[in-house]
């Protein structure tokens, strides 16, 4: 079994949403493995600061301001990366945002923004980079960030949870399509399902303007309470890279915690039970 350094060291990693949370943790760990890291985010100061940190530490990194909602911009990014750095060994489609509140209170612009970032952004990354990765003819990896929320049902976070179910399904289908097309020996598609990982996703999450504002903000507070005990992003990245190098498909930051949610989801489907409201149990879908 190859180590993460043997598998990824010396290659190029492109990470969206690299400015904070697990994206920054993945970037730091990738740099520590000897990868050239392309830090992609809409937050220019955040990725510039991370690039300086990595470069000052002796790593190779560049920062790129890019909005994953813009397909043309992602295509331009892919062209720039391949022209400037060569083939990509690791693509991490990580950028994502949250939304609190009852689904019927969710502002339409917030819904549209979340779908564009969390779902379309992953698709645009795949569409821009994967054909180039296949054509390069070298071993490569595609990680799409789902979440523990991708196997759960959580009230007052429906848009985010829906999006992470979609990303998980997209990744599972992509894995089959890569095999069907005859590329599975070189192109490794993997789904990342973080549990509670420290990030600023809850502070930056959308809320509601009308309707039950208090319920939306109470859910934000509940998630911030979970954040206080969440896993360090760099530690989460270490686990993810090791599982990826071992060839696993579902990459879980906390295998027992996330695995329990997966088992519960499977049991719900097998028994055909309706979702159960649990006031004292909340799954934290944070991955940023």
């Amino acid at each position: 079994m190859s180590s993460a350094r043997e598998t990824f060291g010396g290659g190029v990693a492109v990470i969206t949403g690299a400015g904070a949370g697990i994206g920054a943790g993945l970037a730091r760990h990738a740099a520590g493995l000897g990868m050239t890291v392309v830090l992609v985010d809409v937050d220019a100061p955040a990725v510039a600061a991370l690039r300086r940190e990595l470069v000052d530490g002796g790593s190779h990194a560049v920062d790129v301001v890019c909005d994953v909602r813009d397909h043309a911009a992602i295509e331009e990014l892919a062209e720039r990366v391949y022209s400037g750095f060569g083939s990509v060994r690791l693509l991490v489609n990580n950028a994502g945002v949250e939304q609190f509140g009852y689904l019927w209170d969710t502002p339409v612009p917030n819904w549209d923004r979340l779908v564009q970032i969390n779902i379309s952004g992953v698709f645009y990354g795949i569409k821009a980079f994967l054909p180039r990765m296949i054509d390069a003819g070298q071993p490569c990896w595609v990680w799409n960030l789902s979440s523990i929320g991708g196997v759960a049902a959580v009230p007052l976070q429906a848009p985010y949870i829906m999006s992470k179910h979609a990303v998980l399904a997209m990744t599972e289908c992509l894995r089959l399509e890569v095999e069907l097309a005859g590329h599975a020996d070189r192109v490794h598609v993997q789904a990342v399902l973080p549990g509670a990982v420290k990030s600023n996703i809850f502070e930056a999450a959308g809320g509601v303007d009308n309707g039950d504002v208090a319920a939306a903000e109470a859910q934000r507070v509940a998630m911030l309470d979970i954040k206080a005990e969440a896993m360090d992003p760099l530690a989460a990245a270490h686990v993810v890279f090791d599982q990826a190098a071992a060839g696993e498909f579902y990459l879980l930051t906390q295998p027992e915690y996330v695995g329990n949610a997966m088992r519960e989801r499977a049991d719900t489907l097998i028994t055909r039970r309706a979702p159960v409201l649990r006031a004292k149990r909340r799954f934290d879908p944070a991955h940023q």
Side-chain angles (χ1 to χ4, degrees):
M1 181 176 66
S2 298
S3 69
R5 183 174 297 275
E6 291 170 332
T7 300
F8 298 103
V12 175
V14 177
I15 303 173
T16 67
I22 195 169
L26 292 168
R28 289 186 173 101
H29 193 67
L33 294 175
M35 302 191 79
T36 295
V37 187
V38 181
L39 309 165
V40 183
D41 207 296
V42 293
D43 188 338
V47 284
L50 181 54
R51 186 257 305 158
R52 287 192 297 270
E53 172 194 322
L54 297 180
V55 171
D56 289 347
S59 299
H60 299 285
V62 296
D63 56 305
V64 180
V65 178
C66 183
D67 189 337
V68 298
R69 294 176 293 177
D70 187 338
H71 175 231
I74 296 296
E75 285 286 349
E76 182 180 340
L77 171 66
E79 183 60 33
R80 175 179 173 184
V81 170
Y82 271 80
S83 297
F85 302 100
S87 60
V88 172
R89 185 169 303 174
L90 173 63
L91 170 66
V92 183
N93 291 306
N94 166 69
V97 295
E98 250 282 18
Q99 171 66 37
F100 294 121
Y102 287 111
L103 186 59
W104 56 86
D105 289 339
T106 301
V108 170
N110 290 23
W111 170 274
D112 290 343
R113 176 174 179 265
L114 183 145
V115 169
Q116 290 163 5
I117 294 172
N118 292 16
I119 301 176
S120 295
V122 174
F123 167 66
Y124 293 158
I126 292 166
K127 186 163 180 61
F129 280 91
L130 187 54
R132 292 174 168 89
M133 297 168 82
I134 291 172
D135 290 345
Q138 299 177 16
C140 58
W141 283 257
V142 176
W143 296 355
N144 295 330
L145 270 285
S146 180
S147 165
I148 188 173
V151 292
V154 182
L156 299 169
Q157 294 172 249
Y160 180 87
I161 297 299
M162 172 280 303
S163 73
K164 293 306 174 179
H165 278 256
V167 170
L168 182 57
M170 189 190 317
T171 308
E172 291 169 335
C173 292
L174 181 64
R175 168 64 182 82
L176 295 175
E177 290 183 357
V178 165
E179 181 177 1
L180 180 65
H183 305 304
D185 58 329
R186 290 179 290 102
V187 180
H188 309 279
V189 176
Q190 294 164 315
V192 185
L193 282 77
V197 177
K198 289 187 185 296
S199 76
N200 63 2
I201 190 172
F202 299 136
E203 292 90 336
V208 301
D209 303 320
N210 300 296
D212 198 334
V213 176
E217 292 311 307
Q219 187 68 6
R220 187 193 308 272
V221 171
M223 292 297 100
L224 289 172
D225 288 344
I226 288 177
K227 173 186 173 179
E229 304 299 325
M231 188 177 192
D232 177 77
L234 189 57
H238 185 101
V239 173
V240 169
F241 269 94
D242 282 353
Q243 291 176 359
E248 298 185 30
F249 175 78
Y250 298 101
L251 311 181
L252 315 180
T253 57
Q254 298 106 316
E256 182 175 358
Y257 172 48
V258 182
N260 284 339
M262 297 174 81
R263 283 185 287 273
E264 181 170 324
R265 176 66 175 171
D267 183 65
T268 296
L269 294 174
I270 290 169
T271 59
R272 297 164 60 189
R273 296 196 317 267
V276 176
L277 185 64
R278 292 181 174 85
K280 295 184 179 180
R281 182 179 178 186
R282 295 181 297 268
F283 290 122
D284 170 21
H287 75 268
Q288 296 291 86

